[in-house]
Amino acid sequence: MPDPIINFAVRGALGPLRLGMHRSELLAALGPPQGTTGQPEGEPVMWCYDDLQIGLSGHHMVWYIAIEPSGSRITLPAPMGPGPIEAPAKDALLRDLASRGEAAEECAPYAPGEFWWRVPASGVLMSFWADGPLDNTHISDRSLHL
């Protein structure tokens, strides 16, 4: 099982990256982003590094961290992984979490009938493709989005 994914699900942090860190800390840890999306005023709101997306607030605080595999493999920036790793399958990831005492619970946080898995201790949410591999895993704190 890919350790960065399990560690993210359990801790809600990814390597040096955590909710509430300042943009200057993010730059020191990961360097400049590969891409950004911005508001009309030009302030970036989402920074992208391979399959990692990081939301920044108007106060330059990390409020959102997501891993969105672009296929069956996940590529994370250098301090977080050894290179591309296989996107974990739902059954294997849930089993690995349970073996660490972190049982995930199914929930529908966004739309009725759209099911995700939530790790209660960390608040990380995970969704999977119908055939099993990870589609998205993320954590956010809207109070930091101000």
Side-chain angles (χ1 to χ4, degrees), residues 61-134:
M61 303 299 286
V62 173
W63 72 273
Y64 176 81
I65 302 169
I67 300 169
E68 296 181 12
S70 52
S72 64
R73 300 187 64 72
I74 298 170
T75 304
L76 297 171
M80 294 170 198
I85 55 175
E86 286 297 315
K90 178 174 76 174
D91 292 342
L93 182 55
L94 295 177
R95 211 174 20 253
D96 200 0
L97 284 169
S99 75
R100 295 168 189 250
E102 300 289 343
E105 54 192 31
E106 195 171 27
C107 60
Y110 303 114
E114 180 183 289
F115 295 103
W116 290 69
W117 290 87
R118 182 177 179 277
V119 180
S122 67
V124 168
L125 289 162
M126 304 173 290
S127 69
F128 298 88
W129 292 103
D131 60 353
L134 184 70

Side-chain angles (χ1 to χ4, degrees), residues 20-33:
M21 73 188 303
H22 190 268
R23 179 178 67 180
S24 60
E25 295 173 280
L26 175 60
L27 280 169
L30 300 181

Side-chain angles (χ1 to χ4, degrees), residues 2-29:
D3 282 349
I5 306 305
I6 285 292
N7 289 337
F8 180 56
V10 169
R11 296 178 40 237
L14 189 59
L17 183 59
R18 69 188 187 299
L19 294 178
M21 73 188 303
H22 190 268
R23 179 178 67 180
S24 60
E25 295 173 280
L26 175 60
L27 280 169

Side-chain angles (χ1 to χ4, degrees), residues 15-68:
L17 183 59
R18 69 188 187 299
L19 294 178
M21 73 188 303
H22 190 268
R23 179 178 67 180
S24 60
E25 295 173 280
L26 175 60
L27 280 169
L30 300 181
Q34 294 169 332
T36 63
T37 62
Q39 299 173 350
E41 306 85 55
E43 177 62 38
V45 294
M46 194 69 67
W47 285 14
C48 303
Y49 299 84
D50 298 311
D51 292 331
L52 175 65
Q53 289 79 42
I54 302 164
L56 292 167
S57 73
H59 297 289
H60 312 293
M61 303 299 286
V62 173
W63 72 273
Y64 176 81
I65 302 169
I67 300 169
E68 296 181 12

